[in-house]
Amino acid sequence: MTDMLSRPGARDGDKSAAQTSEIADRTKPLVVSAVISAGACLLTGLLTCAAVAVIGWLAATFGGASGAVRAGASAWLVAHKAGVTLGTGRISIAPLGLTLFFAWCLYRGGKSAARSSGADRTKELIGLGLSFALVYGLGGLIVALLTDEGSLKVSPLAAFLGTFSLALVAGLAGIVVESGAGADIADATPAGVRDVVPAALAAVLTVMALASLLYAVLLAIHFSRITAMLELLNAGVVGSVVLFAICLMLLPNLVLFAVAFLAGPGFQLGAGTTIAPTGVDVGSLPAFPLLAAVPADGATPSYLLALTAVVPLVAGVMAGLVVVRRGLAEEDAYALGWDAFALRGAMAAAVAGIVLFALLVLSGGSAGPGRMAAVGVPAALPAAGVLAAGMAIGAAVTAAIVSSRRPADGDLGAER
């Protein structure tokens, strides 16, 4: 296993002693590489949030610069799912656009740490990943302790766990890719299992794309609501820039709410509310432009109910096509029957359902006091189960039909 998880350059075995010495001189100790890379990611995230908060403070007529910086640090913590308590309300709904940006920074930081440390063995890669995540997590803990003041309360443990988890997942992914271990693991994985991952990714992206399309159409239909909200807010130029940044941060959350809507169970924008294809009961909403797409209370159009069956089937078809395309490219493709392709399609649908379930869970949380303490997808598991079932049907049927229409074994062998 140690030999398998090594960098391509280190496995060639034909490096001269001089070249090896030169590479060793350019590398840094694992801990030093982890501290530098994780620290750079930490500062990048904090400065980004602080900059947006200070710009908002410049447009406001109250508060101080120190309060704006604390607000930026709080947003940074919330993006790592470390909830903050402000007075009687709690904010734990992570703006996933910001979370994705931090994950990308940590992924790049992990690649930088692997490159600067020259880690090429399993123990070194694991140690580097844990050190990277630990440094970032300790940074989150310190930020929580410094931010906790007055009416603003933050749990240091939640801050550490949230930052550590994101850094471990994203940073370790970058380390594995940069070190060459990812390619080694892929080569050692059976082709049938390896093909499931891109097929599942295709299904997830298809669901997200269709949900984004539906959300964009609803925003266009209710564009007059958006203009009315903007006039009501009267944020000015600087305030509009901050509002636009906040909308970008929360846009992935709203797209995932649309996914839950298309799945059937729907989502909620407050305790006791329901937004689903079967009907809408939400009452009054905050004047926030992204919420302009929410349908009015009452029954919804029947075509929305039909989409709950169409969307997962279309996503399954895409997964099935990817499975067949990759499967037919294998050297022993002639030995695979339609049932093998159908099984791979069903497996891809199951993986896609697990990914969507995790995303739906992460999209929700508390957005303030009162009824806004419950925002998100309360039925995330049923929603993901419905999507997975529809995708499994579409993927298995598509893979079976398309693979059965390939040339016969004899013809395929003659072509070879």
Side-chain angles (χ1 to χ4, degrees):
M1 185 68 177
T2 298
D3 293 335
M4 184 188 75
L5 297 183
S6 57
R7 299 178 68 177
R11 291 175 307 184
D12 292 341
D14 57 353
K15 298 294 185 182
S16 65
Q19 290 175 316
T20 303
S21 177
E22 182 182 351
I23 293 174
D25 291 339
R26 294 201 306 266
T27 59
K28 300 181 180 67
L30 294 181
V31 176
V32 174
S33 298
V35 170
I36 294 175
S37 299
C41 295
L42 186 70
L43 289 177
T44 299
L46 286 173
L47 290 176
T48 300
C49 293
V52 175
V54 169
I55 292 174
W57 167 71
L58 292 174
T61 57
F62 59 88
S66 61
V69 173
R70 287 180 62 211
S74 301
W76 182 84
L77 290 168
V78 171
H80 292 84
K81 292 301 286 184
V84 301
T85 301
L86 185 60
T88 59
R90 178 174 173 79
I91 301 177
S92 63
I93 180 169
L96 293 184
L98 197 57
T99 305
L100 288 174
F101 171 70
F102 294 156
W104 177 80
C105 290
L106 290 166
Y107 172 78
R108 299 288 299 178
K111 295 186 69 173
S112 175
R115 188 164 50 248
S116 63
S117 66
D120 62 354
R121 297 182 179 276
T122 305
K123 291 183 179 179
E124 293 176 349
L125 297 177
I126 295 175
L128 181 62
L130 290 175
S131 300
F132 181 86
L134 183 61
V135 171
Y136 194 80
L138 290 175
L141 187 148
I142 294 173
V143 171
L145 292 175
L146 295 176
T147 305
D148 192 329
E149 182 182 347
S151 60
L152 199 157
K153 302 295 181 183
V154 185
S155 169
L157 178 60
F160 173 78
L161 292 177
T163 52
F164 177 85
S165 300
L166 185 62
L168 184 63
V169 173
L172 192 58
I175 291 170
V176 168
V177 170
E178 180 65 24
S179 66
D184 292 331
I185 294 173
D187 291 340
T189 304
V193 178
R194 186 171 62 242
D195 295 345
V196 165
V197 176
L201 180 61
V204 172
L205 291 178
T206 301
V207 172
M208 298 289 289
L210 293 175
S212 300
L213 179 61
L214 172 63
Y215 182 65
V217 170
L218 291 176
L219 277 179
I221 292 174
H222 299 105
F223 185 75
S224 59
R225 292 186 188 176
I226 299 177
T227 56
M229 289 179 182
L230 293 176
E231 292 177 359
L232 179 64
L233 292 173
N234 191 23
V237 177
V238 179
S240 298
V241 173
V242 176
L243 181 62
F244 178 73
I246 294 174
C247 288
L248 284 181
M249 296 174 190
L250 289 171
L251 184 59
N253 298 69
L254 273 296
V255 171
L256 286 169
F257 291 170
V259 170
F261 184 89
L262 290 173
F267 61 98
Q268 61 181 8
L269 292 174
T273 63
T274 303
I275 301 97
T278 53
V280 178
D281 180 15
V282 69
S284 58
L285 290 172
F288 187 60
L290 290 183
L291 300 182
V294 177
D297 288 357
T300 58
S302 57
Y303 71 86
L304 292 177
L305 195 59
L307 288 177
T308 60
V310 173
V311 169
L313 289 177
V314 172
V317 168
M318 295 301 297
L321 291 176
V322 172
V323 163
V324 174
R325 181 179 63 84
R326 294 180 64 89
L328 292 180
E330 298 175 14
E331 294 183 359
D332 57 346
Y334 63 90
L336 297 176
W338 64 266
D339 53 341
F341 286 99
L343 178 60
R344 293 182 183 183
M347 291 171 59
V351 174
I354 294 173
V355 173
L356 288 171
F357 170 71
L359 292 175
L360 291 175
V361 170
L362 292 174
S363 67
S366 175
R371 76 167 193 169
M372 297 307 292
V375 175
V377 187
L381 184 58
V386 170
L387 290 171
M391 289 187 294
I393 295 173
V397 172
T398 300
I401 293 176
V402 175
S403 63
S404 64
R405 296 175 63 86
R406 60 183 166 167
D409 292 350
D411 298 337
L412 210 112
E415 292 178 2
R416 287 177 173 275

